[in-house]
Structure formats: C-alpha cells, structure tokens
Amino acid sequence: MAEPILEYSNVGLSFDDKRVLSGVSFSVLPGDTYILLGAAGSGKTLLLKLAISLLQCDEGSIRLLGRDITRLRESEMFDLRAEVGILFQEGGLFDSLTIAENVGYPLRNQKNSNTNEDQIEARVKASLDFVELGHTLDKFPSELSGGMRRRVGIARASVTNPKLSLYDSPTAGLDPITAHTIMSLIVKEREIRHTTTVLVTHRYQDGAMMANYRWDKNRNTVYRAAPWGEYANLRTTFLVMNEGRNVFRGTQQELEACRDPYVSQFVLRQPAPKPGAELYQGYLPA
Amino acid sequence: MLDYLKSPVQTFQDFLVLTGRSVRNLTRPPIYWRDVLMQMDSIGVGSLPIVALIGAFSGIVMTLQMSRALSTYGATSQTGQVVSISIIRELGPVLTALLVAGRNASGIASELGSMKVTEQIDAMRALGTDPIQKLVVPRLMATAFMQPLLTAIADFVGLIGGLLIAVSVIGNTANQYWTSAIDVLELNDMVQGLLKPFVFAIVISLVGCFYGMRTSGGTQGVGLATTKAVVVASVWVFVLDVLVTQIFVSLQ
Ligand SMILES: Nc1ncnc2c1ncn2[C@@H]1O[C@H](COP(=O)(O)OP(=O)(O)O)[C@@H](O)[C@H]1O
Ligand SMILES: [Mg+2]
C-alpha cells in the first residue's frame, strides 16, 4: 500500500480553554480526494492549516509526505510546504502585488524552485491560462471580481505542480454559476496534474462533483463519469466535522444513507433526472 | 487578581518573542531592501510635512510661553539657550515620536492587520517567505533609520520657530539667539537627542507590527489592533523617555 501523503492521528487543538479540534484521524493516499464538510466554526480551516504547520496541534501527530511535521521547526517546513498548494478561504492574494507577481510568488520565493525569470514568466502565464485569466497579468487583485480572485488563487496554488492541493471553501459566497466554474477548474486540475486533493466546503454539490465528475480534454468541459442515479466514486471520501470532531467518514452513498440528524443536513438529494437529461447534463456514456 | 495579570504578562512575553525574532532576523539574509526603501519613503518622507509643522509650532509656542518668565528675571538674552535645551533633549524627540506613533504605528498595525485577516500572512508562510523577515524587519529598519532624521528636522524647525519669536516678540538679535542656543549644547544633549528617537523608533515599529500580526476577528479586529497599537506605542514613548532621561541625568 502506498504511503499516505497526509495523515492525521488523533489530532487535538485548543485555544486558551476552548477545545476546537479533538481526536481527528484520517489519512489521504496519493490520488485520493477528501471532502471536508461541516458547519462554520467546526474546525475545517484549522485542519487545512495544520496540514502545512501554519499552526501546530497540541495533541496527536500529523505526517505530511512521509515526514512527521508535528514538532517541525518553521525553517524546516519551508521545503515541505513547497510541495503543497493551498487556496485560502479569505483568498490570501497579496494586494500590493499584481496578478502575475502573485502567481509567480511561490516560484520566486520557495527555495527548491530553481527556475529562472523566463521560465517563471512562462509558468505564470500557463497557470493563469489554465484558469482562463491569461489576460489579467498586470492587474491588481482589487480590480478583479470575487470569482476571478478565487481563480487566481487556484492558479497560484497549482503553479508549482504540488503533490497535494488544499482548497479552503473555494465556492463560499459565490453565485451558482461561478461556483460551478471554480469546481470545474478544481476537477480539471485533479485530472490533468493528478494531484491529491483535500477540499473544504459546506456545499454538498461541490463534494458530489468531485466524486462523480471528470474532465474532458477534447470538449474542455466536465462530464459525469457515471449515469445519473449511480455513483462514480472517483476515490472520493467525505468527512463531516462537528465542533472539532469528525462525526462521519465514508463514500457518497454512505453519506446519503447516513441517518444522523447533523450529518444528513449536509446532504442535498439530487432530483431524479428527466428522460434524456443525461446528454443535456454532459454525461458521456463510456 | 492573578488571572487579571495573566493576559498582560502573556502579551508582553509574546512581544518579547517577536522582538527577539526580529533582532535575530536583522543579521540573516535575505534582507528585502526594496521593502526597506518603500517603508523609508512612507514613514520618513510621508511624515516629514507634519513633523516639520509640529516642530515649528512647538518652538513658537514654547518661546512665547517663556518670554514672560525670562523678562521677569531679566534673562531674555538666554532665550536661545532655554529653547534649544528643551527642544533638543525633550520636545523634538517626544513630539516626533508621538506623531510617528499616531501615523505609522497605526499604519503598520492596520496594514499588517488586514493582511492577517485576509490570510495574506498565512499565504506568505505557505509560499516560502518568513513574515518577520518580509514585513517586520523592513519596518523596523526603516523606522529606526528615519526617526532620528525626522527628529533632527523637527529640532531644527523648532529652533527656527523660537527664533521668530525671540526676534519679533522678545527683542533678541538673531545672532544673540543662535549663539546662546548653540553654545549651551553639550555632547551629552546631542547623544540624548538622537538616542531617544532611535529607541522610540524600535518600540513604535515593533508595537505596530505586533498588534497587526496578532489581529483576529475580521475588519473589526483591524480597527481594534490599530487603536491598541497607537495607545500602547504612545505610552511606551513616555515610559522610555523617563528611563533614558534618568540614565542621562545620572551620567552627568
Ligand atoms: N486564532 C484563533 N484563536 C482562537 N480561536 C480560533 C482561532 N482560529 C480559529 N478559532 C476557533 O476555532 C474554531 C474552528 O475554526 P475554523 O477552522 O476556522 O472553522 P471553519 O470550519 O469554519 O473553517 C472556531 O470556533 C474558531 O472560533
Ligand atoms: Mg473556514
């Protein structure tokens, strides 16, 4: 069995006297997709930040890419972080830098990326083209819409070809159409670069999309990898967090079958498709 | 009672940790010189007009206030002396520091605070830069370099303000004023007058960075951090002023 890319063992964390995470354990294998669902304040963002040691846990241990990072010093973390792409909930784009500088930032500042200026420019351009924002190079983040900023965040998180991609609420606060665009990009990213993905969200559709949709390179769109009513389960695991505890872990079927009152609130049952809707919805029979 | 003390003590300890890390990083590459220059521009050049203005007015007001007392004792010929000692030792450094605290400690705290709440500081760490190196060190260096200069300018403008009153109200000649103002100054005064702003600068910039970097609670938190930074930095200016003055007094 392959070694996990990311592994939480019995992780706990408190702020002052408030316990915000306790007994969280799961491990992410190469190629896996994990969906973290949970109410606001249930500890999803903290779990992502713990993964690259932006904070340290008080209990348990965390392994990233085969190394125990629980007590690793900040200076030792920098090399490991270069293998991880992260999209922050609040964006985390640098206001004072242009879009191109933002996306190039990890290439210029991470120690083990010994790329020269020409290569950096090419990769920044490619990464922005990937999210269809190649024309915004010299703009500043404040000049873009919320959805565009998220896409820049995705470009910045993927420009280094990370082994692991962490997305914190990529669709929060977006309209359904923009949210769909963002999720399509994340599916595309997973498909094309084969990254292992951990996605935090409170929208069930986002998880369902990761579990069932793939990217069609020729048509440049997502398609459902299983007929309606069936599950493609593209190595996707759902976790549900409640007040710092992991209260559910399983596949999409298991989640939909779960009768726990808290967990079942996150499930949005899809309406049965109308006859002929498969084609319209982009389902390609294998 | 112990609980009541716990939080300020903890905060002070955190502040010392930040100070320690910043000082250690001063000697460590990379130093982001571009950021240092940008900060020098915003802290130094940006504060120049207001510092000069306040310097001039404090010179003018103080000389006016002194004029009656001096003429009561028939000591109007010593106007320059009184003005220069109080400005160089005390008013120049402290007023400049209060202005810089109001203008730059708040600016630093709100800038870093917004970066904190929009996760830009986390992003820096995630993308390979140390926020202490990239944000704190340039602000510390720039303030420590610019504040003595600003103070020197405030002193000079203050002396000119004093001159205006000495000549027009008190009836000194310009020559009399300058001779009396310059002759009285000793090395001790000059050292004191430049050491104070240097010490204040370190505390003001670090306090601004400290409250900025520990901001939490969204935009509201940024406002709180900014207010705290100004208040705490200003109080520190007075506390340190007493300490440094005491050291110089006991040296004499
Ligand atoms: N720096 C902090 N200090 C104190 N409490 C915090 C801090 N960061 C997060 N928390 C608390 O931890 C809990 C989990 O936060 P978070 O992971 O951001 O939730 P979410 O699931 O919405 O992403 C929340 O109750 C939050 O108030
Ligand atoms: Mg969150």
Side-chain angles (χ1 to χ4, degrees):
Chain A
M1 202 170 103
E3 198 183 6
I5 288 214
L6 174 64
E7 185 170 25
Y8 298 82
S9 319
N10 214 6
V11 169
L13 178 66
S14 309
F15 286 109
D16 301 321
D17 299 326
K18 201 171 128 218
R19 235 171 125 73
V20 291
L21 284 177
S22 51
V24 179
S25 302
F26 64 95
S27 64
V28 183
L29 296 177
D32 277 354
T33 300
Y34 269 72
I35 310 294
L36 300 183
L37 292 165
S42 56
K44 308 180 298 294
T45 298
L46 292 176
L47 277 175
L48 285 198
K49 289 191 178 172
L50 284 167
I52 53 170
S53 201
L54 293 176
L55 346 106
Q56 294 195 327
C57 55
D58 316 324
E59 290 162 33
S61 65
I62 297 171
R63 292 176 71 83
L64 174 66
L65 299 162
R67 283 194 68 185
D68 187 343
I69 61 163
T70 322
R71 297 278 166 265
L72 219 54
R73 298 225 321 270
E74 180 85 2
S75 52
E76 297 172 289
M77 270 312 294
F78 279 119
D79 291 341
L80 273 175
R81 285 182 190 145
E83 307 283 350
V84 181
I86 180 164
L87 171 75
F88 288 96
Q89 182 169 12
E90 305 295 337
L93 295 181
F94 304 120
D95 308 317
S96 54
L97 303 182
T98 63
I99 299 304
E101 287 167 336
N102 261 292
V103 176
Y105 197 94
L107 296 175
R108 293 197 176 87
N109 288 286
Q110 282 172 343
K111 290 194 188 82
N112 47 356
S113 63
N114 37 12
T115 24
N116 65 35
E117 260 319 297
D118 290 342
Q119 286 169 311
I120 289 179
E121 269 171 39
R123 285 176 68 177
V124 167
K125 183 80 175 62
S127 199
L128 279 167
D129 283 339
F130 185 90
V131 298
E132 291 154 26
L133 284 177
H135 55 286
T136 61
L137 287 167
D138 297 320
K139 291 203 155 68
F140 284 90
S142 56
E143 299 172 74
L144 302 186
S145 71
M148 285 161 104
R149 283 203 293 270
R150 292 276 163 79
R151 276 146 71 190
V152 174
I154 292 176
R156 185 174 74 176
S158 58
V159 71
T160 55
N161 277 325
K163 296 197 176 91
L164 171 66
S165 291
L166 310 172
Y167 301 100
D168 194 351
S169 314
T171 59
L174 297 180
D175 60 89
I177 295 171
T178 314
H180 182 82
T181 313
I182 300 282
M183 286 312 302
S184 307
L185 285 171
I186 292 176
V187 168
K188 177 178 168 191
E189 160 80 19
R190 174 179 70 178
E191 186 87 17
I192 292 180
R193 302 196 221 253
H194 305 288
T195 41
T196 311
T197 306
V198 179
L199 179 105
V200 164
T201 181
H202 57 264
R203 277 186 8 134
Y204 180 68
Q205 305 96 294
D206 297 347
M209 190 145 168
M210 293 303 281
N212 297 300
Y213 281 73
R214 304 191 58 173
W215 183 256
D216 181 348
K217 279 179 206 156
N218 300 324
R219 294 197 309 157
N220 210 25
T221 173
V222 287
Y223 67 93
R224 203 167 195 282
W228 280 95
E230 288 175 30
Y231 300 90
N233 270 338
L234 299 164
R235 296 190 58 187
T236 304
T237 308
F238 289 75
L239 296 187
V240 180
M241 299 292 299
N242 184 10
E243 294 182 355
R245 291 177 183 279
N246 176 206
V247 293
F248 172 87
R249 177 168 75 209
T251 61
Q252 191 183 0
Q253 294 98 302
E254 288 162 347
L255 181 63
E256 291 187 353
C258 185
R259 287 286 157 263
D260 179 271
Y262 175 81
V263 173
S264 58
Q265 284 180 58
F266 288 95
V267 179
L268 183 89
R269 278 178 190 74
Q270 310 247 341
K274 297 188 192 84
E278 297 87 36
L279 283 175
Y280 175 70
Q281 294 287 349
Y283 164 61
L284 292 180
Chain B
M1 183 64 199
L2 264 174
D3 260 6
Y4 184 71
L5 280 176
K6 205 172 87 189
S7 130
V9 169
Q10 179 69 46
T11 309
F12 187 63
Q13 192 180 330
D14 292 348
F15 179 73
L16 290 184
V17 170
L18 176 79
T19 309
R21 285 179 60 195
S22 315
V23 170
R24 212 175 38 202
N25 280 26
L26 279 176
T27 57
R28 248 189 225 168
I31 300 288
Y32 296 96
W33 290 108
R34 217 168 71 101
D35 295 87
V36 177
L37 286 179
M38 270 164 53
Q39 291 304 321
M40 281 184 175
D41 184 54
S42 97
I43 292 167
V45 181
S47 308
L48 191 59
I50 179 81
V51 162
L53 192 74
I54 299 294
F57 276 108
S58 56
I60 290 173
V61 166
M62 199 185 51
T63 316
L64 272 176
Q65 294 280 11
M66 294 288 177
S67 62
R68 231 185 56 217
L70 287 169
S71 56
T72 313
Y73 298 106
T76 48
S77 63
Q78 279 149 36
T79 310
Q81 189 172 329
V82 174
V83 174
S84 100
I85 286 202
S86 35
I87 285 188
I88 303 240
R89 281 194 197 160
E90 211 42 65
L91 284 179
V94 171
L95 286 178
T96 310
L98 289 178
L99 281 176
V100 173
R103 195 178 170 276
N104 297 309
S106 61
I108 292 173
S110 63
E111 188 183 358
L112 268 52
S114 332
M115 292 183 74
K116 178 72 197 301
V117 300
T118 54
E119 294 180 313
Q120 291 179 55
I121 297 199
D122 282 325
M124 267 184 187
R125 292 172 63 203
L127 303 179
T129 37
D130 176 0
I132 303 259
Q133 197 79 26
K134 177 86 180 158
L135 299 172
V136 180
V137 167
R139 283 165 178 76
L140 175 63
M141 287 173 74
T143 319
F145 182 78
M146 294 314 277
Q147 194 153 332
L149 287 179
L150 285 173
T151 305
I153 291 168
D155 290 350
F156 178 68
V157 180
L159 284 176
I160 293 190
L163 170 76
L164 291 179
I165 301 300
V167 172
S168 64
V169 177
I170 301 179
N172 282 4
T173 67
N175 197 15
Q176 194 180 15
Y177 175 84
W178 280 121
T179 319
S180 140
I182 306 293
D183 279 354
V184 70
L185 292 178
E186 292 170 8
L187 182 66
N188 183 310
D189 300 309
M190 304 302 280
V191 173
Q192 186 175 162
L194 288 177
L195 183 72
K196 274 183 180 174
F198 183 72
V199 174
F200 296 159
I202 292 173
V203 173
I204 290 171
S205 55
L206 285 175
V207 165
C209 292
F210 176 70
Y211 282 105
M213 303 252 292
R214 71 193 318 248
T215 303
S216 64
T219 34
Q220 205 181 7
V222 177
L224 274 177
T226 310
T227 315
K228 266 192 193 155
V230 176
V231 172
V232 171
S234 309
V235 170
W236 272 110
V237 165
F238 285 108
V239 172
L240 289 167
D241 188 41
V242 172
L243 288 177
V244 177
T245 306
Q246 176 58 40
I247 291 170
F248 275 88
V249 167
S250 59
L251 278 181
Q252 268 172 343

